[in-house]
Amino acid sequence: MTAPMPLLDLDDSEGLSAADSEGLLRSVAMGGAQIRATASAVGEGVISRLAGLRPRSVVLIAGAGGARHGARIALALVGDSIGCPLLVLDRTPSWAGPLDVIVVAGDDAGDPRLVESVDSAVRRGAEVVVAVPDEGPMRAVAAGRTMSLPPRLYASPRHTMTRFLAVFLAVAAEIEGKGSIEDRSAVLGRIADAVDAEALRDGPANEVFHNPAKSLATRMSGRRVVLCGSGSVTTALAEFSSVSLMSSGLNAAAAEMSEVIRSARALFAPDAASRDSVFHDPFFHDPQLDGALPTPPARAFVFATESTRGEARRRMDALADADLVVAADEDQTNVVISEMEQVFVLASRVDMAAAYVQLTGGAE
């Protein structure tokens, strides 16, 4: 019997490009351009009314998918530093009024919850920022009454989280009002540069050994993947990553690192069927003759920033099979400095790894 092989070799760049009929690789690589487009909108003064504002609260109302995860990551990144409560809610709260800032974000301009939230926030006199495509019902309810940050470039809804995160961070920075508009736009520009550099490293022409996304896809292939973080920021990133990887067909779940450590005995217990068989084809499986299907082994992936790398590495010793995932390897000299840039880089890397898993059939 032969061992299972992926449908495509990760180092076959031409084969990967030919198999990418959905344009996954290009869509992920648009991340930097999406952030740069948001930076341009900030530089044009689209949300300048928020500059130096001292609101009672900032409420993030997000649709499904990338917007929801972007809001949760933004809350973890800047929730304690903007000088007013930052909330993530499902819709405009009944107490919202002229003292509040409401940010509504999503990919679906026809989502009734988002449309109703914008209408309610406007009627209550709140400052409203809308990061939703400018079309359909959303255009009708928001036109001329809100600060609009619609997408200026198309990307698959699977790959829009970084744009929404950039919008949320831009709003928080504008409210803080530190520096000029040009300075705040430049911060997003530097993040876009970091994401573009990561996309170049993760491109299909680069071999696995020199490609962080391909390397990550290789380590996840054929495994039950457990993603975790060593703090609120990296845990929120792990939750986003699990959804991105599940969309590629991978068996993935996310939790805070302490929860994974508590469950380590059950997660990493050897499965007799998996241990004794080299390859199992489910097409020919007969449960009466062959017994239960073998369970793929589990591997944990621990997300960390430079400030939490050491702590995460020490805690990983409690896990039988775990990899540390950071924005820059120890032997790299171009280490990303800011925590924000590291989060964007890791999100882009995971999205690209998920694309590679899907294209190679590595989740089979």
Side-chain angles (χ1 to χ4, degrees), residues 304-344:
T305 59
E306 289 302 314
S307 62
T308 61
R309 182 202 289 257
E311 176 190 355
R313 192 178 292 281
R314 288 191 297 272
R315 297 179 69 193
M316 282 171 54
D317 291 341
L319 304 175
D321 188 354
D323 283 355
L324 184 66
V325 184
V326 292
D329 296 330
E330 291 179 346
D331 59 347
Q332 284 184 274
T333 57
N334 58 335
V335 176
V336 179
I337 297 175
S338 78
E339 185 178 36
M340 284 185 186
E341 288 174 330
Q342 293 173 59
V343 168
F344 278 94

Side-chain angles (χ1 to χ4, degrees), residues 15-304:
L16 288 171
S17 299
D20 190 13
S21 58
E22 297 180 35
L24 295 175
L25 299 176
R26 183 180 185 278
S27 181
V28 177
M30 291 290 290
Q34 292 185 73
I35 298 166
R36 194 167 285 106
T38 300
S40 296
V42 171
E44 293 164 9
V46 172
I47 57 174
S48 60
R49 287 211 315 258
L50 301 177
L53 198 65
R54 291 292 177 263
R56 176 176 56 180
S57 70
V58 177
V59 181
L60 308 182
I61 299 170
R68 179 66 56 87
H69 289 287
R72 291 171 178 169
I73 295 173
L75 176 62
L77 272 171
V78 300
D80 296 331
S81 63
I82 68 168
C84 67
L86 178 64
L87 309 173
V88 178
L89 301 178
D90 289 332
R91 61 186 68 247
T92 298
S94 59
W95 47 260
L99 299 178
D100 304 296
V101 174
I102 310 294
V103 186
V104 181
D107 291 303
D108 183 3
D111 185 333
R113 179 171 59 85
L114 299 183
V115 173
E116 291 169 7
S117 292
V118 170
D119 184 56
S120 175
V122 169
R123 285 189 288 103
R124 294 173 184 276
E127 295 286 358
V128 185
V129 179
V130 178
V132 181
D134 185 22
E135 58 192 27
M138 186 58 72
R139 173 183 289 180
V141 76
R145 303 197 294 171
T146 66
M147 290 166 275
S148 182
L149 289 171
R152 297 185 174 186
L153 300 166
Y154 174 77
S156 168
R158 287 173 56 175
H159 306 134
T160 55
M161 191 282 287
T162 52
R163 180 179 77 83
F164 291 120
L165 179 55
V167 168
F168 296 139
L169 296 179
V171 169
E174 202 74 17
I175 290 172
E176 283 297 284
K178 296 178 180 178
S180 64
I181 290 179
E182 291 76 14
D183 292 336
R184 293 190 286 276
S185 178
V187 170
L188 290 179
R190 288 193 294 272
I191 292 173
D193 291 342
V195 172
D196 281 341
E198 178 66 21
L200 287 174
R201 295 176 64 206
D202 295 337
N206 292 337
E207 297 179 350
V208 172
F209 185 76
H210 301 289
N211 189 314
K214 285 184 178 180
S215 176
L216 193 59
T218 300
R219 288 178 284 159
M220 291 178 170
S221 179
R223 299 272 181 168
R224 287 180 294 130
V225 174
V226 181
L227 305 157
C228 58
S230 55
S232 59
V233 173
T234 48
T235 298
L237 178 61
E239 291 170 351
F240 157 73
S241 300
S242 69
V243 174
S244 180
L245 291 164
M246 282 191 291
S247 68
S248 72
L250 203 63
N251 186 352
E256 206 278 332
M257 193 173 183
S258 296
E259 297 176 3
V260 175
I261 291 173
R262 282 197 297 269
S263 306
R265 185 182 297 274
L267 282 172
F268 300 102
D271 181 85
S274 297
R275 184 179 62 249
D276 297 336
S277 60
V278 176
F279 170 60
H280 181 87
D281 190 340
F283 183 81
F284 297 104
H285 180 80
D286 185 335
Q288 294 184 350
L289 297 177
D290 303 322
L293 284 166
T295 304
R299 174 171 287 166
F301 292 84
V302 181
F303 290 94

Side-chain angles (χ1 to χ4, degrees), residues 340-357:
M340 284 185 186
E341 288 174 330
Q342 293 173 59
V343 168
F344 278 94
V345 165
L346 289 173
S348 177
R349 183 179 304 170
V350 169
D351 270 344
M352 193 69 83
Y356 285 130
V357 168

